[in-house]
Amino acid sequence: MTDVQFRNLSKSFGQHKILEDIDLDIKSGEFVVLVGPSGCGKSTLLRMLAGLETITSGDLVIGGTRANELPPQQRNIAMVFQSYALFPHLKASDNIGFGPKIRGESRAAIEDKVKKASGVLNLFSYLGRYPRQLSGGQRQRVAMGRAIVREPSVFLFDEPLSNLDAQLRVQMRTEIKALHQRLKSTIVYVTHDQIEAMTMADRIVVMDRGRIQQVGAPLELYDRPANKFVAGFLGSPSMSFVSGALKSTPDKTWFESAGGGRLALAGKAAPAASAVEAGIRPEHFVIGEAADAMALKVDVVEPTGSETHVYGAIGADTVRAVFRDRVPIRPGDLLPVSVAPRNIHLFDKATGLPL
């Protein structure tokens, strides 16, 4: 197992900055997920770690050794790609054992490594098949087996599940997490899917526009986002934001929506801010008349069986609410909704920072 450090790392293509001032410590044996929207720089950062992209400035340290100029083959890193990158003319067993074969290892050593990797990934019954005879999930497991036999210090995953259907993604998430628990390896995993990040990571690194926005455990980021971007990015369905202002009396503070209605807040003194937004997770809306409530005008209702998803608006702000019960709601209804004070996140509308 090996730790990894990024020290003030930056990457530019000409005058265009892709990554800027990246500082991050990844502990040995940790499962770290880099997450963010397309174009945020997460895959570029992974490729710099793998040695597939040069570093413009700053330092990359792998296992205590500065690795800026180390060629990829000397970094003891294995990478699993989105596209599987299997040789179509080789059987699964030969794809898995390709790396040791190129390194000149004996047939017996290769067979032993393939056997062990196949056992970890439950691939024994597929070793004699060609990639075209395998499902997407089976191909991805073969690609993972090829990485395992290299016995790397660090595993890198670059959006490995994006080509799979929804059911297979859930299955493969479980398998990759179980693989990490068995091997105790350092894993750096890139995805734009925040559900993958929430369910798999020891720590999540949220990125946007080439910078790290927040680093922490999944529930820490979910409950205490560092800014509006993190709050809106993590969570499925995503957080809703309602514009308004803060009002207070000596013994009470509340949020007053621009569209009418208000929500009681936990504090007694209103923070200074000219305009604010209340961030509310969909599952935290509660239907019912209350002294502190807002009116949600329903546009679309989606019953899923276990939940009822409601799309609508509070004033001019689009919101989404999720109710656990099968509530009789129809488009056009005007629902009174409230939120417990502890579940309201306040952000300065100008800066996006929490209040």
Side-chain angles (χ1 to χ4, degrees), residues 131-329:
R132 65 179 179 274
Q133 298 171 316
L134 301 173
S135 69
Q138 291 160 357
R139 292 178 196 174
Q140 195 57 279
R141 291 212 299 272
V142 171
M144 290 163 56
R146 187 174 56 190
I148 289 171
V149 297
R150 292 190 58 190
E151 300 176 341
S153 300
V154 182
F155 284 91
L156 308 182
F157 289 83
D158 189 7
E159 304 205 41
L161 309 185
S162 59
N163 287 337
L164 306 180
D165 61 38
Q167 185 174 356
L168 268 178
R169 283 200 300 271
V170 173
Q171 178 185 338
M172 289 302 298
R173 286 205 308 260
T174 303
E175 293 187 12
I176 293 173
K177 188 65 177 177
L179 173 67
H180 174 248
Q181 292 169 351
R182 285 194 294 267
L183 299 181
K184 308 297 183 184
S185 302
T186 305
I187 293 181
V188 184
Y189 186 107
V190 161
T191 182
H192 66 275
D193 186 332
Q194 44 83 35
I195 290 295
E196 286 181 29
M198 290 292 295
T199 55
M200 298 172 72
D202 294 326
R203 283 194 304 154
I204 296 174
V205 180
V206 182
M207 299 181 64
D208 185 41
R209 300 178 185 179
R211 289 181 175 270
I212 292 176
Q213 301 296 312
Q214 190 174 2
V215 181
L219 292 181
E220 176 188 343
L221 270 60
Y222 189 85
D223 293 335
R224 294 181 294 279
N227 53 43
K228 182 184 173 182
F229 173 81
V230 176
F233 190 82
L234 288 181
S236 181
S238 60
M239 181 181 283
S240 296
F241 297 95
V242 180
S243 301
L246 298 180
K247 306 289 183 179
S248 66
T249 62
D251 61 346
K252 185 177 182 181
T253 300
W254 65 91
F255 169 81
E256 192 169 282
S257 165
R262 66 182 189 178
L263 297 174
L265 301 176
K268 290 187 177 181
S274 57
V276 301
E277 290 180 289
I280 304 166
R281 300 268 179 214
E283 66 270 22
H284 290 154
F285 282 104
V286 177
I287 300 175
E289 298 289 348
D292 297 305
M294 301 181 296
L296 192 165
K297 184 178 180 181
V298 178
D299 293 324
V300 177
V301 180
E302 292 181 344
T304 66
S306 60
E307 300 173 334
T308 302
H309 291 230
V310 174
Y311 297 84
I314 295 176
D317 299 301
T318 301
V319 300
R320 182 170 179 173
V322 174
F323 304 111
R324 303 302 182 189
D325 299 322
R326 299 184 182 183
V327 289
I329 304 172

Side-chain angles (χ1 to χ4, degrees), residues 83-96 123 126-143 146:
S83 60
Y84 317 132
L86 301 179
F87 296 107
H89 62 289
L90 297 181
K91 294 179 180 179
S93 59
D94 296 323
N95 266 288
I96 294 172
L123 281 172
Y126 308 112
L127 291 179
R129 299 185 186 182
Y130 291 96
R132 65 179 179 274
Q133 298 171 316
L134 301 173
S135 69
Q138 291 160 357
R139 292 178 196 174
Q140 195 57 279
R141 291 212 299 272
V142 171
R146 187 174 56 190

Side-chain angles (χ1 to χ4, degrees), residues 8 16 43 50 80 87 89 92 112 114 128 243 270 281 327:
N8 199 31
H16 184 51
S43 289
V80 179
F87 296 107
H89 62 289
D112 183 59
V114 171
S243 301
R281 300 268 179 214
V327 289

